[in-house]
Amino acid sequence: WTVLAGEKNTSNGFMGGVMHVEQINSEGWARTYLVTSNSLATLIDPIHANVERDLALIEERGLTLKYIIGTHTHADHITGGWELAEKAGCDFLMLEGALTYGVSRTVANGSNLLMGEVEFTFHASPGHTTDSMCIEIPGFLFTGDYLFNGSSGTGRDDLPGGNLERHWQALSILQGINEHTQIMSGHEAPGTEPQTLLWNREHNPVLQMSSFEEYKTWQESEW
């Protein structure tokens, strides 16, 4: 999707070389992201139907799959996780407390993880599910269903494990995210390009709300 190159800069988590970010699902609204640094790769939110395709892509590009990361426990985000991890011999990561099958490693809120030259930072963002998290790398925030681009607002909170108030409170983590960060959400219409957090503050209705009651009313009318 985007290639970044730069000199060593540990202050922003990117330490040179080349980082590549790509959305690899060509059909449907569910998104799976591939992040590469040098010859190492991480897949975010892979699904069962695409496991063989994902493995073939990794092999074709001469990459080593280092991590599988799930943003939250819903089937359209994590069903490929344990199977890919098993076949590739890598770790399947989720937020601590996640009950997803096959998770081999958990991460804590605010923790960091290095892959090649890229540093991942994990932000607990409960509300859509209890184990929802956002994954930050320099220039990008992978949000799962915590935040969508534009008018779609956020994922629904009326599913099992969802909590309106916790989701509203969790939106506060965006205060610590650079405004020019690209929001890489878990669902978008095919062909839709990501937008920055700054753009979303102007076009996402949820980010224009000032009270929980507004958010509650919007969620209840939207879903």
Side-chain angles (χ1 to χ4, degrees), residues 5-39:
E7 297 178 356
K8 186 171 184 178
N9 185 349
T10 56
S11 65
N12 69 3
F14 184 55
M15 294 170 283
V18 175
M19 177 178 75
H20 188 73
V21 178
E22 182 180 357
Q23 196 285 117
I24 59 173
N25 289 346
S26 59
E27 298 180 358
W29 287 56
R31 299 202 154 193
T32 295
Y33 295 99
L34 174 67
V35 180
T36 63
S37 174
N38 300 330
S39 62

Side-chain angles (χ1 to χ4, degrees), residues 28-31 33 147-150 152 183-194:
W29 287 56
R31 299 202 154 193
Y33 295 99
L147 186 72
F148 298 139
N149 281 290
S152 296
I183 301 301
M184 315 298 278
S185 72
H187 299 280
E188 300 287 351
T192 302
E193 294 293 322

Side-chain angles (χ1 to χ4, degrees), residues 23 99 103 107 127 181 192:
Q23 196 285 117
L99 299 177
V103 173
V107 295
T181 298
T192 302

Side-chain angles (χ1 to χ4, degrees), residues 174-210:
L174 297 174
Q175 296 172 8
I177 304 298
N178 186 290
E179 297 284 89
H180 299 290
T181 298
Q182 298 284 323
I183 301 301
M184 315 298 278
S185 72
H187 299 280
E188 300 287 351
T192 302
E193 294 293 322
Q195 301 292 339
T196 65
L197 177 56
L198 180 63
W199 182 92
N200 274 286
R201 291 202 183 282
E202 299 175 356
H203 296 88
N204 186 314
V206 170
L207 299 189
Q208 298 173 19
M209 296 174 186
S210 58

Side-chain angles (χ1 to χ4, degrees), residues 57-101:
L57 180 64
I58 295 295
E59 182 177 2
E60 176 186 317
R61 296 187 181 181
L63 300 169
T64 298
L65 190 55
K66 182 74 172 176
Y67 301 117
I68 308 294
I69 308 178
T71 57
H72 64 286
T73 302
H74 276 162
D76 50 354
H77 294 267
I78 47 82
T79 52
W82 69 270
E83 188 175 357
L84 278 164
E86 185 177 73
K87 290 184 175 181
C90 67
D91 276 324
F92 177 24
L93 282 68
M94 290 193 71
L95 186 68
E96 57 186 4
L99 299 177
T100 300
Y101 176 79

Side-chain angles (χ1 to χ4, degrees), residues 123-142:
H123 304 279
S125 53
H128 179 66
T129 66
T130 58
D131 62 0
S132 291
M133 72 172 175
C134 294
I135 305 157
E136 182 183 6
I137 62 174
F140 302 90
L141 186 69
F142 303 92

